[in-house]
Amino acid sequence: MISVNNVTVSFGSFNLLDCISFHISEQDKIGLVGKNGAGKSTLMKLITGEQSPTSGSIEMPSGLSIGYLPQIMEHHRGRTVIEEVMTVFDHLRAMEEELEILTAELGERTDYESASYEALITRLNDLNDRLALETGESPLVQAKKVLYGLGFKEEELSRNTETFSQGWNMRIELAKILLSKPDVLLLDEPTNHLDIESIEWFEDYLKAFRGSLMMVSHDRKFLDNVTTRTVEILLGHIHDYKVPYSQYVTLRQERIAQQTAAYENQQRMIEKTEDFINRFRYKPTKSNQVQSRIKALEKLDRIEIDETENASINLRFPPAQRSGDVVFKATGITVGYPQKVVFSNADIEIKRGEKVALIGRNGEGKTTLMRVIMKELYPLEGEAKTGHNVSIGYYAQNQEDILDPSETVFGTLDRIAVGDIRTRLRDILGAFLFKGEDIDKRVSVLSGGERARLGMAKLMLSPYNVLALDEPTNHMDIRSKDILKQALKSFDGTLIVVSHDRDFLDGLVDKLYEFRDGKVTEHLGTVADFLRRRKLESLQELERKAPVQEKAPARASEGEKEFRKMKAVSKEERKIRNRIDYLEKQISAHEAKMAEIEKILANPGNNDDILDLTRDYLEHKRTVDEQTLEWTSLMEQIENK
C-alpha cells in the first residue's frame, strides 16, 4: 500500500536516514522505535509529504487518506469543542446539499433516454451509497463517543477550544483524525497528553481499527497491546521485526549476540591472516600466498555490530538523609485559584520511604497538589504541612523549558555542581545517555527527550530525601525511562510522581491518590490493582444512559460556589492580584525566550536545529496566548469590583 524505496535524508554530510526501504501493508499495526533523534518523526513527515527525501521515493495509491498526528501542531480557535470536531463531517453536509440539488433537477427533467440524464442518475446513486455508508450512525453521536472516550465531559463540549490547554487541544485534533476514518493512521507520541483511562479507551479503539497504523510511542505496554510489527530506526538504517515491542526486544538481543559472535570469529580470522602476512611478507617462497591473503582481506565484507545501549548502567540517586516519619500531610484542604476550585476537602498523608503516584484526568489537580507540596500555592481551606527535615527535589513539567539554551550539556551541570560531585559529572551524564561529544552540545539543539534527561540529571546534584516528579517521562525514550525507573526503585527516600505511564509506574509505586470530580481518593496497592478496580467501575458506567454525564470540573459545584461566597472580598482580590503578578512574570519570561529564539532563527548556525527551535518557539507562544487570556479575564474581574 505504501512503499518506501531507497530513501535517504541528509543534512550536509550527515545521513539521518540512509537508503531505507520497507512496505506498509493493509491493516499493518506498526510500532516505530528508535532513540531520540533517530529520525522517527522525519519518516512520518516523508510519508505525509510534509518533507521531501534527499533521494529515493515514497509510493502509494492515489486517493489514499492519511490521518497524521504530529507531536506539536497549531490548534484552531473561535469554536466550541463540539463545533470544531464536527467540521470533520463538513463533506457530508456538502453531499447532502448536492443530493438535494440533483433530486430537484431530476424532478424537472424529461429527457429520460439522454446520456446526461443517465449521468445524473449515476451521480445520485453514488451520493446515496456514500451517505448510507458514512452515516450509519449520527455524526453527532459518533463525535460525542470519541470525545467521551478521550476524556471530555458533556458540559465541556460547549467550551471554546482556546480555553483548554495544549494537551486537551491535542485530544481535539486526535478526535478529528479518528472521526475522519482514514486508511492510514500516523501517530507521533499520541499518549503524551492522555491519562490512564483515556489510554485504555484509545487502545481498544486502535485494536478495532481496520486501517493501517504506524505509531511512535514510549509506552511499552501500549505498543504491546496495539502493534503487531516493530520497525526500528538505528544509525540511519531500518530493522523490521514482525512482532510486538517486547518480542522485538528479545529478538534484537539475539541478533546482537549473533552479530557479536560472528564479529569475534571474523576478527580472529583477520588477526591470524595479518599475522601470516607479517611473518612471510618478505619470503619469496611465500609471496603468492601472501598476495592472495592480502587481496582476500581487501575484498572481505567486514561485519559490524549494531549500536546498542544494553551496557549495564548503574544509576543511583545520592543517599537520602532521614526525614520525619510523615513527609507531607494535608487535612481537609480545598485547593484552587480565584476563578476555579480544583479539588476540595482532601485528606492526604505521605510517609517516609513511600513511593506514591498521583493519577487522574488532566486538569483534576495533580500538578496543583505538587505546587501545594512545594509551597508555591496555599490551600483555600484546610491545612497542609511538610514534615521534619524534608528536602524536596522538584521536577516540574516545564523543567526542560527552563534550561539555558545557550549553555552546553556539561556546562548546565558544572555551573551548579559543588564539592566532590564535580568530579562525577561525566559519569552522571553518561548514565543519562550523554556520551562523547554529546556533552558539548548546546541545550538549544537537544530534542525534547534529551532536555528531559538533562533536567533529571540536575536532580542528581543534591542529596534530596523527597523527589517530587511531575510527568518526568514525557518525551523520554523507552531506554531512558528504564534507567530512570531502576534508579527510582533503589532510591531510599520518598517519591511522589505524577504520571500516566502505566509501564513506568508498574512495580515502582505502592500507593496512589486518584484525582476525580473535584475529590482525592487514596488507593493502596499497585497500578495494576487500581486498573482492575477502575475497569469494573468503567463497565458499570458504560451501562448508564448517554445523558447521564459527569459534570465538568471547570464548573464549580453548589458547595464550592457557597464556599467562594464565604470568602472576604479583600482576600479574594488579593489572591487575584497575586495571580496577575505571577502571570505577568511568566508571560515576560516566555516572551524573552521567544525573542532569543527569533534571534537564532534570523541567523542560524550550523549546529542550530531549525525544527526544534521552531517547536520551542510555538510552545512558548501557546503558553503566552493561554496566560494572556487568563490575565485578561482576571483584570476584568478587578476592574468590575
Side-chain angles (χ1 to χ4, degrees):
M1 188 168 61
I2 298 178
S3 293
V4 178
N5 305 313
N6 300 318
V7 164
T8 295
V9 175
S10 302
F11 298 96
S13 60
F14 170 68
N15 286 344
L16 179 65
L17 301 175
D18 190 2
C19 203
I20 66 169
S21 297
F22 72 100
H23 186 79
I24 301 176
S25 302
E26 291 184 10
Q27 298 187 4
D28 264 347
K29 300 287 175 62
I30 300 172
L32 186 61
V33 302
K35 69 178 185 178
N36 294 123
K40 303 185 293 296
S41 297
T42 298
L43 180 56
M44 288 192 170
K45 291 175 182 176
L46 292 171
I47 294 173
T48 62
E50 288 189 16
Q51 191 170 332
S52 299
T54 306
S55 63
S57 64
I58 297 176
E59 299 175 358
M60 63 187 75
S62 60
L64 187 76
S65 59
I66 296 177
Y68 173 46
L69 182 79
Q71 286 188 43
I72 299 176
M73 68 200 78
E74 288 289 348
H75 304 299
H76 298 280
R77 294 171 173 268
R79 298 190 187 106
T80 65
V81 172
I82 194 65
E83 287 171 347
E84 178 61 30
V85 170
M86 288 298 289
T87 61
V88 170
F89 300 105
D90 284 350
H91 68 290
L92 296 181
R93 283 193 288 272
M95 284 194 289
E96 288 170 348
E97 290 173 2
E98 184 182 357
L99 192 64
E100 289 178 6
I101 293 171
L102 293 179
T103 302
E105 182 180 344
L106 200 64
E108 297 173 358
R109 297 279 291 267
T110 56
D111 53 333
Y112 309 121
E113 304 298 326
S114 69
S116 61
Y117 188 88
E118 185 178 347
L120 193 66
I121 292 291
T122 300
R123 176 60 179 164
L124 197 70
N125 290 336
D126 180 53
L127 284 173
N128 274 316
D129 290 343
R130 288 177 61 189
L131 281 169
L133 185 65
E134 295 196 42
T135 57
E137 189 173 43
S138 159
L140 182 61
V141 171
Q142 292 181 52
K144 286 190 173 184
K145 278 186 177 180
V146 172
L147 287 168
Y148 295 155
L150 290 175
F152 285 92
K153 297 180 180 179
E154 175 67 29
E155 295 172 14
E156 291 177 313
L157 304 188
S158 58
R159 280 175 52 189
N160 272 25
T161 59
E162 60 264 27
T163 66
F164 288 88
S165 68
Q166 179 194 348
W168 283 96
N169 271 283
M170 186 281 292
R171 297 189 195 204
I172 295 171
E173 295 302 315
L174 178 57
K176 289 165 61 179
I177 290 169
L178 299 182
L179 287 165
S180 69
K181 299 177 182 175
D183 301 311
V184 181
L185 277 174
L186 301 179
L187 307 176
D188 198 346
E189 298 194 21
T191 61
N192 267 2
H193 297 285
L194 297 181
D195 50 51
I196 288 175
E197 290 184 6
S198 298
I199 290 175
E200 292 240 307
W201 175 88
F202 193 34
E203 276 182 4
D204 291 338
Y205 185 97
L206 292 179
K207 286 176 186 176
F209 178 61
R210 295 187 178 182
S212 302
L213 167 69
M214 176 179 277
M215 174 176 61
V216 176
S217 177
H218 297 149
D219 185 330
R220 188 196 311 265
K221 286 190 176 179
F222 189 72
L223 287 171
D224 275 342
N225 290 342
V226 172
T227 64
T228 56
R229 177 180 168 194
T230 303
V231 173
E232 176 191 39
I233 302 180
L234 181 67
L235 297 176
H237 299 290
I238 287 288
H239 299 279
D240 198 344
Y241 298 81
K242 311 299 184 185
V243 294
Y245 181 82
S246 291
Q247 290 176 252
Y248 142 77
V249 171
T250 302
L251 292 176
R252 185 179 188 275
Q253 290 172 343
E254 292 175 359
R255 189 187 89 229
I256 297 297
Q258 292 169 357
Q259 282 184 344
T260 302
Y263 172 81
E264 290 172 350
N265 287 334
Q266 188 182 68
Q267 289 301 304
R268 283 193 291 269
M269 182 273 291
I270 291 171
E271 185 179 345
K272 289 180 180 179
T273 303
E274 289 177 340
D275 181 57
F276 180 89
I277 292 169
N278 291 331
R279 285 171 59 199
F280 300 108
R281 184 184 296 273
Y282 302 108
K283 286 194 175 185
T285 56
K286 299 284 188 179
S287 62
N288 288 340
Q289 294 178 47
V290 169
Q291 291 303 316
S292 174
R293 298 193 185 194
I294 289 174
K295 290 178 181 178
L297 284 183
E298 290 174 349
K299 295 178 180 178
L300 184 66
D301 187 9
R302 304 279 176 134
I303 296 172
E304 294 182 358
I305 301 175
D306 290 337
E307 182 184 82
T308 178
E309 293 175 344
N310 290 333
S312 177
I313 295 176
N314 185 21
L315 174 63
R316 297 185 69 89
F317 284 90
Q321 294 182 353
R322 187 179 178 86
S323 68
D325 184 54
V326 176
V327 168
F328 175 79
K329 184 170 185 177
T331 306
I333 60 170
T334 295
V335 177
Y337 306 96
Q339 68 275 29
K340 176 185 175 182
V341 170
V342 181
F343 60 84
S344 58
N345 197 30
D347 294 323
I348 299 164
E349 184 175 73
I350 299 172
K351 293 185 176 181
R352 182 182 66 247
E354 286 187 328
K355 290 182 168 61
V356 180
L358 311 182
I359 60 174
R361 270 175 106 239
N362 293 339
E364 291 278 12
K366 304 183 299 294
T367 296
T368 303
L369 178 61
M370 281 291 205
R371 295 189 63 203
V372 172
I373 293 172
M374 295 306 300
K375 298 182 179 178
E376 294 179 0
L377 183 69
Y378 293 92
L380 300 173
E381 189 174 77
E383 185 177 43
K385 289 183 177 181
T386 52
H388 173 68
N389 197 33
V390 167
S391 172
I392 304 178
Y394 183 39
Y395 181 95
Q397 282 193 45
N398 67 339
Q399 181 77 29
E400 65 270 23
D401 295 330
I402 63 176
L403 298 170
D404 184 350
S406 65
E407 188 60 86
T408 65
V409 169
F410 183 83
T412 297
L413 299 194
D414 187 53
R415 189 173 56 180
I416 60 175
V418 294
D420 293 341
I421 202 166
R422 297 190 69 176
T423 64
R424 298 179 50 231
L425 293 185
R426 292 180 183 273
D427 293 336
I428 292 172
L429 287 170
F432 280 99
L433 308 182
F434 292 104
K435 302 173 182 176
E437 296 178 355
D438 290 344
I439 68 172
D440 297 320
K441 287 182 179 178
R442 298 282 176 191
V443 171
S444 59
V445 304
L446 299 181
S447 68
E450 289 171 325
R451 294 187 188 191
R453 297 202 307 267
L454 182 57
M456 190 61 60
K458 289 177 63 179
L459 287 183
M460 299 285 295
L461 302 186
S462 299
Y464 301 112
N465 53 26
V466 178
L467 294 176
L469 312 180
D470 195 351
E471 299 285 9
T473 62
N474 270 6
H475 306 295
M476 277 193 184
D477 57 37
I478 292 174
R479 176 62 174 161
S480 302
K481 290 196 297 185
D482 285 345
I483 292 170
L484 176 60
K485 179 176 178 178
Q486 293 308 312
L488 292 173
K489 286 177 73 173
S490 62
F491 175 56
D492 59 358
T494 305
L495 173 66
I496 308 167
V497 58
V498 175
S499 179
H500 59 255
D501 188 328
R502 298 159 300 164
D503 186 59
F504 180 71
L505 294 177
D506 189 28
L508 176 61
V509 300
D510 45 29
K511 184 163 79 172
L512 302 92
Y513 281 101
E514 180 190 14
F515 292 71
R516 185 180 179 88
D517 298 333
K519 302 296 179 185
V520 182
T521 306
E522 181 184 83
H523 295 270
L524 299 178
T526 66
V527 172
D529 296 333
F530 166 77
L531 284 176
R532 279 193 292 270
R533 289 192 292 266
R534 291 296 293 120
K535 193 72 173 180
L536 290 173
E537 277 187 52
S538 296
L539 288 173
Q540 292 168 358
E541 289 166 5
L542 289 174
E543 293 173 0
R544 297 175 185 170
K545 295 180 180 179
V548 182
Q549 295 293 333
E550 298 169 326
K551 292 183 179 180
R555 299 192 180 185
S557 66
E558 291 303 317
E560 289 168 346
K561 290 177 182 177
E562 187 64 30
F563 172 78
R564 291 178 186 176
K565 291 177 183 178
M566 294 169 60
K567 297 297 177 183
V569 174
S570 59
K571 185 177 180 181
E572 182 179 345
E573 184 172 336
R574 185 167 65 250
K575 289 174 183 170
I576 294 175
R577 291 191 182 278
N578 288 340
R579 180 64 178 171
I580 289 171
D581 289 342
Y582 171 79
L583 289 172
E584 288 174 346
K585 291 176 183 177
Q586 288 290 304
I587 291 169
S588 296
H590 284 291
E591 288 177 340
K593 292 285 187 183
M594 291 167 64
E596 289 177 8
I597 295 172
E598 286 173 351
K599 288 180 182 178
I600 299 172
L601 290 174
N603 186 22
N606 293 333
N607 294 326
D608 292 325
D609 190 320
I610 303 301
L611 291 176
D612 274 351
L613 288 169
T614 303
R615 282 196 288 266
D616 288 346
Y617 183 89
L618 291 173
E619 287 284 356
H620 288 300
K621 185 177 183 300
R622 288 190 190 95
T623 302
V624 168
D625 291 343
E626 291 170 1
Q627 292 180 337
T628 300
L629 191 68
E630 184 183 351
W631 179 88
T632 302
S633 174
L634 294 176
M635 288 298 293
E636 288 175 354
Q637 291 183 44
I638 292 291
E639 290 169 0
N640 292 333
K641 285 188 179 295

